[in-house]
Amino acid sequence: MTKNMMICGVGGQGSLLASRILGQAALSQGWDTKVSEVHGMSQRGGSVVTYVRYSTNGRVASPVICKGEADVLISFEQLETARWLPFLKKNGKIITSTQKIYPMPVIAGNAEYPQNIIEEIEKLDVNISECDAIDVARKLGNEKVANVVLIGLYAKYSDLDKQIFTDAVKACVPEKFLQLNLTAFEAGYNY
Amino acid sequence: MQIEKNQKLLLGNAAIARGLYEAGCVFVSSYPGTPSTEITEEAAKYDEIYAEWATNEKVAYEAALGAAIAGGRAFTGMKHVGLNVAADPLFTSSYTGVNAGLVVAVADDPAMHSSQNEQDSRHYAVAAKLPMLEPSDSTECLEFIKLAYNISEKFDTPVMLRLTTRISHSQGLVTLANRQELPLKEYIKNDSKYVMKPANATKRHPVVEQRQSDIEEYANTSTLNRIEFNDKKIGIISAGDSYVYAKEAFGTSVSYLKLGMVNPLPLKLIKKFTDQVDKIYVIEELDSIIESFCKANGVNVEGKNMLPVIGEYSQQLLNKNLLSKENDYNELKINIPVRPPVMCAGCPHRGTFYVLKKLGLTVIGDIGCYTLGSTIDTTVCMGASVSMLHGFNKVRPESADKRVGVIGDSTFMHSGITGLVDIIYNNSYSTLLILDNSITGMTGHQQNPCTGLTLKNLPAKAVSLETLCKACGVENIQTVDPNEVDTFEKILKSELTKDAPSVIILKRPCALLKTVKKDSYARVDADKCKSCRACMKIGCPRISFETKKAVIDESLCIGCGLCTRMCKFDAIEIISRASN
């Protein structure tokens, strides 16, 4: 069985680390895994999406996820949740931060940031869990770990054991920042 | 599946670097370019490999060719447009051949995630008559590098490795092996092979033609190309990422000819495959190369009549175009504003572009983060700002005082210098701005000849832009901090009116550099804010208007202070994070 996970957000929010942690978690179970990343220009404050795919019984062919294919969408920002929603399967799971980052057209007054995104998504055929990840991370002393807070929240709903994720965090985060990231993971898991 | 200790998830680019290590490569020279950059960054982590950033792709290619002819296995990696720069030595090195193996990786960017065009580099392999391999995942990235060196040395030819963004920037499982330590091959002077004057080159061309047919014969039986027979009603010929999309979409319901070598193409093997399947589709992203080859050789295939020559492929695209199959999905019936990439908070280019916009100048742009500047008139290729500015000013001299070129420090080193010499030599009045942010920014912070550090972080002589421009013959050279917008504006106005070439160096480091302090932020005093929106003119992503007053997102502000210079009412102050 192939499982498709997407991580979306705004360039600079830490989606690369989050996708690497999820990839490492799958790999540690002996499952063929592919993780597709974004580098370069689109990273500069643009809309960023990464894909993590693993197969529990075979090989993963394509590195990308298309419309209606994702089992899970982990989003760091509300507008991005709305943007990438079509990639989620019907009945799929969304983990989203309630953070809002205004894109330039909104800042410049040429477009409006949509209201009630999460409420509107709740009316659809999906299962959504939200979390003010930035606030949680801020209370831990560093907003940068909001990404790992969301991974923690995802772990709560995942079929995989918690230990698999914490081991993956240990494998992906440099020693210097490990304790902070593990605390962030716990905070998300217990949210 | 059991994951062994020597198995690891590696980015395609990192798997290539690992392949270089294992294949005994000793020399790597490249210029950064998305999506190829990480190959060279990862290769630099191996002590056994000498690795460097060259000034441009042509220099990198020639350095690697020199290293290979000298007897060491060598490599150069670049993005597709970089290959245009390196095309000159590429074509003639096909004639000289190599000594130790030479591999050149070229990373195409279908869908242009981070590029100015969508060219298909396979054309180069066909035109330069060089073998080209194309991996489909990280496993093949590693394995194909090793095979590429074998082919390079067996057939005495540079070998090209074609990548695409999805292969370069996807992680997949690879199996690691030990490095093959190789002694340098002996260098023997051989002018008839290495001195490509007409008398020698005319003798080398037939060698190239013979080599092409020898390699085609090899390709007919090589493990690089393989047939996977399943149901024989439909057969698919594919390579690279297109192959994995096809596998994802059709699984084992069709048969495949999976090509690992995309030039020369194995006609006998293609016929062997197509003879045994009923209907054949060629699935190849971007241009029709395999399909055109099949049709030219009387093999009846379909492909581009149903599939685009534009953009990236995916399993979804194949399902839709070939099977008329689409997934169900949810979507919100709302207008979702786009989120284009923007200059970061604290970006040193912001002050520069504020002034250029204020003065209403025509801005001849270049390749780098400053391409995101809202006032740019043109962006074509590396270095084009300098030479296009020259052309503009020669044709419209009366408005030369309303026009500037902008180019970054690394891009100026890459191919701006020759343009500047052209400006001096041909008596132009042009005003060039060199945006020196002390790093190669857009590709993710690579050192360059101006930074004083090498790829391996060793100290190096830093090129002085002032001295260099002076040596080119520029008499009017000014250096200013772009955040000092008033000073910059004054200097710029003065230089634009001069009847001689000018260079203004705008010096301020990239805000993302670790050496740039981020220990303060800007805060708006709502009582003092008169809602004039002057601070909005700089287009900072951290400033917005929420309740008719300016609001600054303190968490992501780095306190560069540019907005404080916009406010006439002193409503914005810089606050130290330490004092909180």
Side-chain angles (χ1 to χ4, degrees):
Chain A
M1 188 196 70
T2 302
K3 182 117 170 165
N4 297 325
M5 294 183 286
M6 280 179 74
I7 298 167
C8 65
V10 178
Q13 283 191 302
S15 59
L16 278 193
L17 176 65
S19 57
R20 285 179 175 181
I21 291 171
L22 293 181
Q24 178 61 36
L27 184 71
S28 71
Q29 301 309 294
W31 298 329
D32 190 35
T33 305
K34 280 189 176 170
V35 181
S36 189
E37 304 183 346
V38 175
H39 299 255
M41 188 182 223
S42 40
Q43 269 185 303
R44 298 275 173 268
S47 170
V48 169
V49 62
T50 57
Y51 311 112
V52 179
R53 308 190 69 218
Y54 63 81
S55 170
T56 54
N57 57 357
R59 299 300 298 260
V60 177
S62 171
V64 302
I65 295 170
C66 301
K67 281 186 178 172
E69 288 184 350
D71 298 284
V72 182
L73 174 64
I74 300 175
S75 173
F76 298 165
E77 202 275 345
Q78 286 199 35
L79 186 62
E80 298 311 311
T81 313
R83 188 186 318 282
W84 296 100
L85 174 68
F87 283 67
L88 192 71
K89 274 178 190 166
K90 291 232 163 176
N91 287 313
K93 175 76 190 169
I94 298 177
I95 304 284
T96 184
S97 174
T98 53
Q99 190 182 3
K100 290 181 183 179
I101 300 176
Y102 288 173
M104 222 7 122
V106 171
I107 291 172
N110 300 325
E112 273 189 37
Y113 195 100
Q115 299 299 307
N116 309 320
I117 288 174
I118 291 173
E119 290 79 354
E120 289 302 315
I121 292 176
E122 277 170 344
K123 294 177 191 164
L124 303 172
D125 195 4
V126 296
N127 180 340
I128 184 165
S129 300
E130 73 256 30
C131 163
D132 191 347
I134 270 289
D135 186 55
V136 174
R138 193 179 292 135
K139 285 174 183 152
L140 296 175
N142 191 336
E143 292 184 354
K144 287 211 159 76
V145 294
N147 55 354
V148 178
V149 172
L150 290 170
I151 294 291
L153 182 59
Y154 166 64
K156 184 159 90 175
Y157 296 99
S158 164
D159 306 334
L160 305 183
D161 285 349
K162 184 181 170 189
Q163 177 83 31
I164 295 168
F165 290 98
T166 51
D167 285 348
V169 171
K170 286 176 192 164
C172 296
V173 174
E175 183 65 37
K176 198 172 142 193
F177 303 109
L178 183 57
Q179 198 47 54
L180 175 65
N181 278 278
L182 287 173
T183 312
F185 178 87
E186 284 298 327
Y189 193 86
N190 298 316
Y191 188 81
Chain B
M1 195 168 80
Q2 181 70 37
I3 306 294
E4 305 293 335
K5 269 197 175 149
N6 62 346
Q7 288 188 303
K8 225 177 151 179
L9 263 189
L10 281 187
L11 206 59
N13 282 348
I16 289 167
R18 180 70 197 186
L20 294 173
Y21 167 78
E22 292 181 10
C25 173
V26 294
F27 184 93
V28 172
S29 183
S30 307
Y31 185 83
T34 313
S36 71
T37 312
E38 300 79 12
I39 305 173
T40 302
E41 287 181 322
E42 291 294 323
K45 292 177 183 169
Y46 297 103
D47 291 340
E48 294 84 347
I49 302 176
Y50 170 83
E52 65 176 25
W53 290 128
T55 37
N56 67 35
E57 294 85 356
K58 177 178 183 290
V59 171
Y61 191 97
E62 290 157 352
L65 178 62
I69 291 176
R73 284 191 166 183
F75 172 86
T76 179
M78 58 198 70
K79 68 182 295 174
H80 56 314
V81 285
L83 188 58
N84 302 337
V85 178
D88 200 353
L90 178 88
F91 276 73
T92 303
S93 66
S94 176
Y95 280 35
T96 63
V98 296
N99 178 22
L102 171 61
V103 177
V104 47
V106 53
D108 287 358
D109 190 16
M112 294 175 276
H113 296 275
S114 201
S115 301
Q116 65 269 42
N117 79 24
E118 203 171 29
Q119 72 191 45
D120 187 331
S121 296
R122 293 178 299 167
H123 292 291
Y124 273 100
V126 176
K129 305 185 180 196
L130 290 172
M132 178 181 255
L133 311 188
E134 185 171 3
S136 286
D137 57 23
S138 294
T139 307
E140 289 188 348
C141 283
L142 197 162
E143 292 308 319
F144 282 17
I145 279 286
K146 296 194 208 177
L147 286 166
Y149 277 110
N150 293 343
I151 293 166
S152 177
E153 289 173 3
K154 179 175 175 172
F155 294 99
D156 189 16
T157 176
V159 174
M160 302 181 76
L161 185 85
R162 188 215 186 197
L163 302 160
T164 51
T165 301
R166 293 302 180 188
I167 302 301
S168 282
H169 286 164
S170 293
Q171 294 187 46
L173 202 58
V174 299
T175 305
L176 310 183
N178 291 331
R179 176 174 169 92
Q180 181 188 9
E181 284 294 354
L182 297 166
L184 290 187
K185 287 194 163 193
E186 189 186 1
Y187 166 70
I188 302 164
K189 185 179 167 83
N190 184 352
D191 58 344
S192 61
K193 182 168 182 290
Y194 296 130
V195 181
M196 284 303 95
K197 57 187 176 185
N200 292 338
T202 47
K203 294 193 187 92
R204 290 297 297 174
H205 190 183
V207 175
V208 171
E209 296 301 329
Q210 182 59 46
R211 184 182 72 204
Q212 273 280 92
S213 67
D214 291 348
I215 298 176
E216 186 185 328
E217 205 45 56
Y218 166 86
N220 279 314
T221 54
S222 165
T223 53
L224 280 161
N225 301 320
R226 66 167 188 265
I227 291 173
E228 299 168 22
F229 277 127
N230 298 301
D231 189 301
K232 291 186 178 175
K233 279 195 203 68
I234 292 175
I236 285 172
I237 304 176
S238 195
D241 52 5
S242 301
Y243 166 75
V244 289
Y245 300 142
K247 283 287 266 196
E248 190 71 39
F250 312 124
T252 52
S253 65
V254 299
S255 295
Y256 299 89
L257 170 56
K258 196 274 189 195
L259 298 172
M261 184 183 271
V262 290
N263 191 62
L265 288 165
L267 185 58
K268 280 185 202 160
L269 185 68
I270 289 172
K271 283 187 169 163
K272 183 179 159 191
F273 177 69
T274 55
D275 282 350
Q276 295 183 63
V277 288
D278 300 339
K279 189 160 181 64
I280 306 132
Y281 295 97
V282 174
I283 298 179
E284 55 185 327
E285 218 168 47
L286 298 182
D287 293 343
S288 165
I289 290 187
I290 302 169
E291 182 177 341
S292 298
F293 174 85
C294 288
K295 285 178 172 164
N297 286 286
V299 180
N300 188 18
V301 299
E302 287 190 55
K304 291 299 180 193
N305 55 335
M306 305 169 88
L307 295 165
V309 292
I310 295 168
E312 278 187 313
Y313 284 11
S314 65
Q315 58 268 28
Q316 173 183 275
L317 180 116
L318 300 183
N319 270 319
K320 190 177 169 194
N321 288 29
L322 300 179
L323 301 179
S324 305
K325 205 170 95 181
E326 281 186 86
N327 289 333
D328 269 354
Y329 56 85
N330 288 299
E331 79 188 310
L332 290 180
K333 306 281 180 228
I334 56 168
N335 188 21
I336 299 174
V338 294
R339 191 187 298 276
V342 290
M343 286 179 183
C344 309
C347 177
H349 304 322
R350 183 163 284 109
T352 306
F353 280 94
Y354 164 73
V355 173
L356 299 181
K357 191 170 185 181
K358 184 179 172 193
L359 299 183
L361 302 180
T362 299
V363 181
I364 310 300
D366 220 299
I367 304 291
C369 291
Y370 43 91
T371 309
L372 301 172
S374 55
T375 49
I376 292 252
D377 284 77
T378 68
T379 295
V380 177
C381 66
M382 296 285 283
S385 60
V386 191
S387 357
M388 285 180 70
L389 173 69
H390 171 64
F392 249 95
N393 286 349
K394 280 289 176 188
V395 170
R396 294 187 176 275
E398 76 290 350
S399 55
D401 61 347
K402 294 270 182 271
R403 197 174 297 121
V404 294
V406 295
I407 185 167
D409 49 335
S410 187
T411 309
F412 183 69
M413 284 293 122
H414 178 283
S415 47
I417 303 168
T418 44
L420 184 62
V421 172
D422 192 59
I423 284 175
I424 298 295
Y425 172 51
N426 290 303
N427 301 309
S428 178
Y429 302 150
S430 302
T431 301
L432 179 68
L433 312 183
I434 303 180
L435 315 185
D436 179 6
N437 63 350
S438 312
I439 203 73
T440 312
M442 177 67 85
T443 43
H445 287 179
Q446 288 74 34
Q447 304 297 341
N448 70 53
C450 299
T451 65
L453 285 172
T454 68
L455 166 60
K456 294 219 181 199
N457 266 321
L458 299 170
K461 183 103 180 157
V463 171
S464 155
L465 289 169
E466 288 89 347
T467 314
L468 176 62
C469 293
K470 200 174 169 192
C472 290
V474 184
E475 287 172 4
N476 305 300
I477 303 166
Q478 303 263 10
T479 300
V480 61
D481 176 348
N483 271 21
E484 302 287 342
V485 283
D486 295 337
T487 314
F488 169 45
E489 185 180 334
K490 219 166 98 188
I491 291 173
L492 179 57
K493 279 180 175 166
S494 156
E495 294 303 327
L496 280 167
T497 56
K498 287 184 182 168
D499 285 344
S502 301
V503 169
I504 303 173
I505 299 163
L506 291 140
K507 197 167 177 60
R508 190 178 180 84
C510 171
L512 299 182
L513 283 174
K514 284 190 181 129
T515 49
V516 172
K517 284 186 183 159
K518 297 165 183 76
D519 52 6
S520 60
Y521 61 90
R523 177 187 284 167
V524 179
D525 183 335
D527 294 336
K528 287 188 186 170
C529 176
K530 306 287 182 208
S531 309
C532 70
R533 300 181 77 94
C535 54
M536 298 297 287
K537 285 184 192 160
I538 56 173
C540 177
R542 301 287 81 90
I543 310 176
S544 56
F545 263 68
E546 291 216 3
T547 49
K548 294 188 178 172
K549 300 274 182 179
V551 178
I552 293 174
D553 182 344
E554 294 172 4
S555 68
L556 296 167
C557 170
I558 72 152
C560 76
L562 185 62
C563 54
T564 64
R565 295 169 194 273
M566 301 295 125
C567 185
K568 292 194 181 93
F569 307 102
D570 290 330
I572 308 175
E573 57 181 333
I574 299 294
I575 296 170
S576 166
R577 290 190 193 275
S579 66
N580 274 10

